[in-house]
Amino acid sequence: MIASAKEGFWNKLQAIDQRILYVLIIVVVALPLLRPLSLPITVTSATRTAYEKVDEYSGPGSVIVIAYEFIAGNWPEMGPIAVAMTQHLFRKPDIRIILLAMGRDQGPILAENTLKYIDEMGKEYGEDYVNLGFFAGAEAAMASFASDIPGLVKKDYYGTPIEQLPVMSGLNDLNDIDMFLCLWSGTPGWGEYLRQWQTPYGITVIGGTLGINGPGAQPYVSSGQLKGLVVGLRGGGEYEKLIGKPGEATSGLDAVSTTHLLIIAFIILGNVGYFAGRKRTGGEV
Amino acid sequence: MSLLKGKQIPIGITLVVGLMMIVNYYFGAALPAVKSTTTLIQNWTVIVAAFALIIGLINISRIHINHLLKRSKGQWFFSLWCLAIMYIMIALGLFGTTKNPGYQWLYNYVFLPVDATMYSSLAFFISSAAYRAFRARNVESILLLSSGVVIMLMNAPIGEIIWTGFPVIGDWIMSVPNVAAQRAIMICVVMGSVSLGLRTLLGMERGYLGREE
């Protein structure tokens, strides 16, 4: 009777009701958000490289394109990256910034949301930066923009003809762009820009993406096609630290720590149950 | 007439345009005529793709109006909600532009949090899956389990507080074994894509033309 109760215990450790796990996740996410732990954030070499490359390629006179290729659902993870990287660029003197989207129709409105969180540092719309909106067609639109900017872009997001926007003057094709910040969450995204922009034109690209896309994008960092890559909430938090402006990622990283610890604790419990149960049944589970 | 009914014309257009794009990609700089023609076609594609959004609108309207007319059990109410919200957003966006306060409010305070909540709910499923799947049953699963735990600790600030080696090992996993495996997958995908592209250009792959009658 005692032996079977013990076996039952080890089996239960392997199959804890998922509702208990769900409740604990809510608790460990909510607690650090309500009462921050302020765990120190160390900047990894990947994020530091991205930050330094943005510095390197955004000298006076540069023209920089930022593509907001993510959707509303990605905002909690992508928003901090977008805000931190856009803020970094807005601090650069005498550069032109072009915001657009060709893969995700929500891009322009998320670009607007990003601008709400940043200090524009005296930059003026139309003179120093512009939101060109969304271009349907994904890869075809990217190819079209790369080869003939005036042929594709007739108006900005608000309907102003580009002839009236000094920020767009003298831009004919992708050779006139110095750096491209690709903030993507899926497809269409980096893969399409790689084919239509980076490979044929050799444009300098710095990326920002979801944690789940990080491993898939890593080969492009190794090959140099992505000069730098900021990944997930962790990358966003590190970038916020580098620009000295803590934001949503910094506050969210405490919750990431507690949640990951909880998951690891559950994995350990499951394995303890598995090995103890196997020992009692002589290796059969 | 049979030529118009058949698929020869679309296949012919695909072949010509496809070849033109390939020639432009590799030799565009040396062939200005090809470059300008492909640029023109790419600009047309953007316009055609914009019309595809209208087709999407018609399609989703048709499906949900059908549910409404049939009063589909457990569905018609959601169809009504979907159509109402969709047309309200369209009306606000078209007549007031996306700067319209109503449009902005619906996007920022309804759509954005709802979409983010749906995406965030993955945390529950992934946690549950990790707890159930990560069992050290054999060498392969031990490798998966240990690399998963190291990457989790690398991505959380608490990891390096526990042990400073976690970010170092995590970085090595991401930049060596991960890159090797990803490159192998990419090469396979590219070979498949080239094969699919050739089949499409030669008219052997006709899925994009719709179902065979």
Side-chain angles (χ1 to χ4, degrees):
Chain A
M1 189 70 181
I2 294 168
S4 103
K6 278 191 176 174
E7 270 175 38
F9 172 74
W10 298 125
N11 286 336
K12 274 184 185 170
L13 270 190
Q14 292 184 69
I16 297 169
D17 191 336
Q18 58 190 11
R19 286 171 295 188
I20 295 172
L21 177 60
Y22 293 169
V23 170
L24 288 173
I25 285 175
I26 292 171
V27 172
V28 299
V29 168
L31 279 181
L33 291 177
L34 296 170
R35 199 179 170 81
L37 305 171
S38 304
L39 295 170
I41 300 168
T42 310
V43 179
T44 56
S45 60
T47 309
R48 188 175 295 281
T49 305
Y51 176 85
E52 287 169 355
K53 291 291 176 188
V54 169
D55 266 343
E56 187 183 333
Y57 290 95
S58 57
S62 306
V63 183
I64 291 148
V65 170
I66 312 178
Y68 295 80
E69 306 294 3
F70 55 96
I71 56 169
N74 309 132
W75 179 262
E77 199 174 350
M78 287 301 298
I81 299 175
V83 170
M85 295 185 91
T86 309
Q87 179 68 78
H88 188 196
L89 282 175
F90 268 75
R91 287 179 182 171
K92 301 286 172 190
D94 193 25
I95 63 166
R96 290 191 273 171
I97 303 169
I98 298 163
L99 318 176
L100 52 75
M102 294 184 174
R104 303 289 180 141
D105 56 358
Q106 296 175 40
I109 198 164
L110 292 170
E112 279 191 330
N113 280 3
T114 303
L115 294 177
K116 284 180 194 163
Y117 286 91
I118 68 163
D119 178 356
E120 293 179 7
M121 309 292 291
K123 291 207 183 317
E124 281 187 30
Y125 187 84
E127 291 277 342
D128 304 299
Y129 72 98
V130 65
N131 184 352
L132 292 183
F134 169 71
F135 299 89
E139 203 160 349
M142 294 167 197
S144 181
F145 185 94
S147 59
D148 181 16
I149 295 174
L152 178 73
V153 185
K154 302 296 180 193
K155 292 175 179 174
D156 73 348
Y157 185 47
Y158 311 107
T160 312
I162 61 162
E163 296 80 26
Q164 295 174 21
L165 298 163
V167 66
M168 294 298 292
S169 66
L171 302 182
N172 295 313
D173 59 30
L174 207 64
N175 294 312
D176 297 322
I177 309 295
D178 297 287
M179 183 173 69
F180 169 45
L181 238 64
C182 185
L183 307 173
W184 88 98
S185 66
T187 304
W190 160 241
E192 289 70 25
Y193 282 111
L194 169 75
R195 287 194 289 271
Q196 301 301 334
W197 285 21
Q198 205 285 326
T199 307
Y201 293 86
I203 188 170
T204 301
V205 189
I206 315 287
T209 190
L210 298 173
I212 200 166
N213 292 337
Q218 203 62 39
Y220 301 109
V221 180
S222 304
S223 65
Q225 287 161 302
L226 275 173
K227 295 284 182 204
L229 181 64
V230 181
V231 179
L233 202 65
R234 171 78 197 238
E238 292 172 8
Y239 214 98
E240 285 175 357
K241 187 177 178 180
L242 284 168
I243 63 164
K245 190 179 177 186
E248 288 179 7
T250 306
S251 56
L253 276 174
D254 284 345
V256 170
S257 286
T258 50
T259 315
H260 284 195
L261 280 185
L262 177 75
I263 297 169
I264 291 167
F266 265 75
I267 290 171
I268 292 169
L269 281 179
N271 279 283
V272 167
Y274 172 72
F275 282 107
R278 203 166 75 156
K279 202 175 171 187
R280 296 192 72 80
T281 55
E284 288 180 21
V285 179
Chain B
M1 197 65 189
S2 63
L3 195 70
L4 289 175
K5 279 187 176 175
K7 294 184 173 172
Q8 290 91 337
I9 290 178
I11 289 171
I13 293 171
T14 305
L15 178 68
V16 172
V17 173
L19 285 176
M20 204 180 280
M21 294 294 157
I22 292 171
V23 171
N24 177 56
Y25 193 89
Y26 291 104
F27 310 107
L31 301 166
V34 174
K35 189 175 169 65
S36 60
T37 312
T38 51
T39 301
L40 184 70
I41 293 170
Q42 281 160 354
N43 288 344
W44 289 350
T45 312
V46 174
I47 297 163
V48 172
F51 278 97
L53 296 174
I54 298 171
I55 293 170
L57 173 70
I58 294 167
N59 197 32
I60 202 164
S61 300
R62 209 183 62 176
I63 290 167
H64 289 289
I65 288 170
N66 213 14
H67 278 303
L68 274 181
L69 293 175
K70 285 182 182 171
R71 285 282 179 128
S72 306
K73 200 178 172 188
Q75 174 62 48
W76 73 269
F77 184 79
F78 295 110
S79 293
L80 179 65
W81 183 245
C82 172
L83 288 172
I85 288 291
M86 186 172 75
Y87 281 101
I88 288 169
M89 290 288 278
I90 290 170
L92 288 172
L94 278 180
F95 299 111
T97 77
T98 51
K99 278 294 216 185
N100 179 287
Y103 185 93
Q104 292 270 339
W105 189 88
L106 275 174
Y107 186 87
N108 285 320
Y109 300 111
V110 179
F111 182 68
L112 198 148
V114 167
D115 202 21
T117 304
M118 279 170 61
Y119 183 70
S120 306
S121 65
L122 276 176
F124 295 103
F125 303 122
I126 289 173
S127 309
S128 178
Y131 161 59
R132 279 161 220 288
F134 280 167
R135 292 280 187 276
R137 288 195 169 89
N138 49 40
V139 178
E140 290 89 344
S141 57
I142 290 169
L143 283 173
L144 183 69
L145 164 63
S146 50
S147 54
V149 169
V150 169
I151 296 297
M152 271 197 273
L153 288 168
M154 179 190 86
N155 281 323
I158 195 87
E160 59 203 280
I161 294 171
I162 297 169
W163 183 42
T164 50
F166 281 128
V168 180
I169 300 172
D171 195 40
W172 179 81
I173 291 171
M174 289 293 280
S175 37
V176 182
N178 168 59
V179 167
Q182 294 284 352
R183 279 186 179 155
I185 294 167
M186 279 173 191
I187 290 167
C188 294
V189 170
V190 166
M191 297 310 285
S193 301
V194 170
S195 159
L196 181 69
L198 280 174
R199 285 178 59 84
T200 306
L201 284 184
L202 298 173
M204 294 158 78
E205 194 67 50
R206 300 178 179 196
Y208 68 98
L209 294 173
R211 275 178 296 193
E212 298 280 351
E213 294 298 329

